[in-house]
Each structure stands twice: as C-alpha cells, then as structure tokens.
Amino acid sequence: MTTAQERSDLLDQIGLAAQNKATLGQVLGTGRIGQATEKSDGRMQATIRIHPDELTWDPDILVMPHGGDIDLELVNDDLNTHCALLPSNGDRKFIWLVNHSRGRATLNLDGPGYYWFGSPTGNDEGRGLTGAIVVLGDAPPEARLDRPEQPRP
C-alpha cells in the first residue's frame, strides 16, 4: 500500500502521470476525487474542470452521497475545444466546451452505482479525458433480487 504522495511519485517515475508517455492517457482513478455538495433542498452541486494541457477532468471521480439531481458546472481552461457527454436518467446530456468556456448541466442519477462520462470529440477519451460519477447508497427494495441476506462488510 502506498501513500498518495508515493503513488504520485511512482506514477511520475513509470510514466503514467503525463499525457502520451507510457500510456495513451492517464489511468482513471489516479487523479483527484471530489464530493458533491448537498444544498438545503436536497439537490447537489459540483464543479468539474479541464486544466490546460492535462486532458483529464478535475476531479476525475465525483462522489454523490445519494441518488438524486445534481447541478454540474463544467469548466474548460484548456486551449483546445472539448465536450462532455454526461449520464442522466432518461437521456444523456451533451455540452460543447470551446476553449476557455464553461457550461452547466442538470443530471438525474437516482440509483447507486458508477456512471461514466467523457469527451468523445477527436480522441479525447482515448487520451485520458474520461471520468466517473459514483452514487453512494443501496438499491431500493423494489430493485433488489429475491435471494437470502448476504454478509455486508
């Protein structure tokens, strides 16, 4: 097991911490983890950013404490144009992000799980511009399998 700094140093050393070094893109899960902020009405909000010349989302993993609606602000500080294809119940959301721009999206993610997002323009996803929204919680009773209780960690 390594500390965050040791992990960062190791990724630098083996070439996984920079674009187009040992891999086509940065490894998902090696960046920052962010948490959505819950407002008094139960809606959540968060900001996701693309820094200049990094081709990664910051944070690249966003954690929601429970399912529901989230208001995202997406900021493209890069000198290149990107986009965001975001998950949402009912239909995906697409936001075009020209260089030095920002956009807003409201998503509904009502169930626990991992929801992937990325920038499908050019080869952005292949070069590392992918991320995940993790919704914490348990499946509602009506969605659970009819099977014996399982041990929980």
Side-chain angles (χ1 to χ4, degrees), residues 140-151:
E142 65 272 10
R144 295 181 190 161
L145 296 174
D146 184 21
R147 63 182 206 175
E149 283 291 320
Q150 301 294 308

Side-chain angles (χ1 to χ4, degrees), residues 34-53:
Q35 293 184 309
T37 305
E38 190 168 4
K39 297 189 269 185
S40 61
D41 62 358
R43 293 179 70 90
M44 290 161 269
Q45 64 184 24
T47 300
I48 299 176
R49 180 178 300 277
I50 303 170
H51 295 291
D53 299 324

Side-chain angles (χ1 to χ4, degrees), residues 12 14 16 28 33 55-56 60 63 74 85 90 92-93 104-105 127 142 144:
D12 279 335
I14 61 178
L16 294 178
L28 181 64
I33 298 174
L55 274 175
T56 59
D60 65 349
V63 179
L74 299 134
L85 184 58
R92 292 175 163 186
K93 307 289 181 168
R104 294 184 186 274
R127 293 167 48 204
E142 65 272 10
R144 295 181 190 161

Side-chain angles (χ1 to χ4, degrees), residues 60-138:
D60 65 349
I61 299 174
L62 177 64
V63 179
M64 292 173 55
H66 56 80
D69 293 325
I70 183 165
D71 298 317
L72 286 180
E73 181 176 25
L74 299 134
V75 181
N76 180 11
D77 289 330
D78 198 12
L79 298 174
N80 294 306
T81 297
H82 303 287
C83 68
L85 184 58
L86 301 159
S88 185
N89 291 341
D91 200 7
R92 292 175 163 186
K93 307 289 181 168
F94 181 87
I95 300 200
W96 193 247
L97 295 165
V98 297
N99 52 328
H100 295 291
S101 68
R102 59 183 62 226
R104 294 184 186 274
T106 298
L107 311 179
N108 179 271
L109 303 171
D110 64 355
Y114 297 96
Y115 298 85
W116 302 98
F117 64 95
S119 174
T121 58
N123 188 27
D124 283 357
E125 289 176 326
R127 293 167 48 204
L129 199 51
T130 58
I133 299 173
V134 178
V135 180
L136 301 179
D138 206 350

Side-chain angles (χ1 to χ4, degrees), residues 19-38:
Q19 191 63 39
N20 293 327
K21 297 283 183 169
T23 65
L24 290 175
Q26 291 190 352
V27 178
L28 181 64
T30 59
R32 288 182 5 113
I33 298 174
Q35 293 184 309
T37 305
E38 190 168 4

